[in-house]
């Protein structure tokens, strides 16, 4: 890469070497670098963003997915990233809501009466919704937050 600074393929393959070693930060660096090189395919920016999620920085991954959605002109990239964004957003919001339920249980005992009660108590910013705007719900029997009925968690590309 030092001798061929515009060869995106070298950076791409270096990223796969890092990925194979589960060094997601390294893979991200190479793929981000490759995505900025001349003639690089647009898919490289989404690979780089995906590594944020693999590293566990879901909030940063969501921000980067949103940035890609706002800036890409490649329809395939837009479709894939839109699926990743929504799946990741739902999982992130489920985690946030689950933490709010646990904070309620720790502080007040028992299960909260509703997700709205968590919002009113300041433990949750808003009741999470799916892509269609359907609110998540609280299964009081299990004291667990669930996505809106019909929301799928099947793995997406």
């Amino acid at each position: 890469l030092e001798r061929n600074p515009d060869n995106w393929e070298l950076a791409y393959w270096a990223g796969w070497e890092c990925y194979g070693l589960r060094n997601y930060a390294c893979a991200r660096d190479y793929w981000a670098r490759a995505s900025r090189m001349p003639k690089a395919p647009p898919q490289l920016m989404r690979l780089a963003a995906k590594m944020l999620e693999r590293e566990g920085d879901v909030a940063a991954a969501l921000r980067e997915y949103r940035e890609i959605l706002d800036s890409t002109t490649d329809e395939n990239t837009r479709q894939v990233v839109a699926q990743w964004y929504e799946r990741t957003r739902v999982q992130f919001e489920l985690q946030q809501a689950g933490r709010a339920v646990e904070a309620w249980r720790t502080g007040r005992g028992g299960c909260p009466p509703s997700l709205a009660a968590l919002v009113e108590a300041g433990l949750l910013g808003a009741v999470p919704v799916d892509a269609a705007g359907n609110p998540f719900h609280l299964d009081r029997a299990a004291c667990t937050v669930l996505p809106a009925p019909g929301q799928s968690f099947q793995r997406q590309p």
Side-chain angles (χ1 to χ4, degrees), residues 51-131:
M51 293 305 99
L52 287 168
E53 190 179 341
R54 293 284 175 137
E55 289 180 301
D57 194 346
V58 178
L62 286 170
R63 284 191 302 273
E64 195 147 318
Y65 292 156
R66 173 55 40 208
E67 187 177 309
I68 291 169
L69 289 171
D70 292 344
S71 65
T72 189
T73 58
D74 180 67
E75 191 53 35
N76 184 50
T77 295
R78 182 182 314 289
Q79 289 176 5
V80 171
V81 172
Q83 290 175 352
W84 287 357
Y85 177 84
E86 185 57 22
R87 178 189 44 79
T88 304
R89 184 192 65 79
V90 167
Q91 289 176 340
F92 180 74
E93 291 191 11
L94 280 172
Q95 290 171 353
Q96 296 295 99
R99 287 185 190 110
V101 167
E102 190 55 38
W104 178 286
R105 291 174 72 157
T106 300
R108 300 178 187 206
C111 191
S114 66
L115 293 178
L118 295 172
V119 174
E120 290 169 15
L123 298 171
L124 190 61
V127 174
V129 296
D130 67 13

